[in-house]
C-alpha cells in the first residue's frame, strides 16, 4: 500500500485561477495546475527562494519540491507554447495558519483584508 501524500503548506489561494490564451489552442484539453504546484512557482520564481528554502516553507522535503516544481514548469510551458486554458485548483495542501512565522505573504493576506487563514482539504 502506498504511503499517503503529505499535504503541502500554502500561504494563500491564488487570486486568479483561470487563464485562457487569446489565440488558438481552444480545442485542447485544459491544463490543470494544482495549488501546491502554483505555490512552488510563486516561491521559487517570484519570491526567489531556492529549493531548500521553498521546501522548508511548504513543509516537505527538497526532493518533493523539486518534483512539484518540475511538473508545474512543464504545465506552464505547455500552456505558454500551445495555448488553450490553464486552471489552478486542487492538490494536497493546507493553508497557513494566521500569523505563521516566516510566512510574510500569508500574514499580509490574512490581516490586510480581515480574512482568517484556516486549514483546507485542498478542494477548489
Amino acid at each position: 500500500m502506498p504511503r499517503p501524500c503529505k499535504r503541502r503548506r500554502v500561504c494563500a489561494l491564488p487570486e486568479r485561477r483561470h487563464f485562457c490564451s487569446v489565440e488558438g489552442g481552444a480545442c485542447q484539453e485544459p491544463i490543470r495546475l494544482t495549488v501546491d504546484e502554483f505555490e512552488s512557482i510563486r516561491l521559487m520564481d517570484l519570491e526567489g527562494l531556492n529549493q531548500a528554502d521553498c521546501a522548508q516553507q511548504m513543509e516537505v522535503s527538497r526532493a518533493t519540491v523539486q518534483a512539484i516544481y518540475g511538473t508545474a514548469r512543464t504545465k506552464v510551458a505547455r500552456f505558454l507554447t500551445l495555448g488553450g486554458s490553464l486552471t489552478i485548483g486542487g492538490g494536497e495542501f493546507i493553508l497557513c495558519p494566521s500569523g505563521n512565522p516566516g510566512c510574510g505573504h500569508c500574514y499580509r493576506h490574512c490581516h490586510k483584508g480581515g480574512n482568517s487563514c484556516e486549514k483546507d482539504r485542498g478542494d477548489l
Side-chain angles (χ1 to χ4, degrees):
M1 181 172 175
R3 185 173 159 190
C5 184
K6 182 176 181 182
R7 293 182 184 207
R8 288 85 174 185
R9 187 174 77 171
V10 171
C11 287
L13 296 175
E15 292 180 20
R16 291 164 200 83
R17 293 187 273 218
H18 304 285
F19 302 88
C20 284
S21 61
V22 176
E23 300 171 351
C27 296
Q28 298 174 347
E29 188 171 325
I31 297 168
R32 185 168 180 186
L33 190 70
T34 63
V35 174
D36 53 322
E37 290 170 339
F38 168 81
E39 181 74 349
S40 71
I41 289 177
R42 186 188 73 78
L43 290 173
M44 295 204 304
D45 292 339
L46 184 63
E47 301 293 329
L49 298 182
N50 60 35
Q51 286 183 359
D53 292 337
C54 182
Q56 183 178 11
Q57 180 79 11
M58 293 179 72
E59 297 181 346
V60 294
S61 72
R62 191 196 60 74
T64 298
V65 164
Q66 184 177 17
I68 293 168
Y69 183 67
T71 303
R73 286 186 59 162
T74 300
K75 290 177 181 181
V76 170
R78 192 169 59 219
F79 172 69
L80 292 174
T81 57
L82 301 177
S85 64
L86 176 79
T87 302
I88 303 171
E92 294 290 331
F93 69 94
I94 187 168
L95 288 177
C96 290
S98 179
N100 195 354
C103 182
H105 178 74
C106 181
Y107 185 81
R108 287 191 305 273
H109 177 75
C110 293
H111 293 91
K112 183 177 178 183
N115 299 331
S116 63
C117 288
E118 54 190 53
K119 294 184 179 185
D120 191 296
R121 285 192 359 229
D123 299 329
L124 277 178

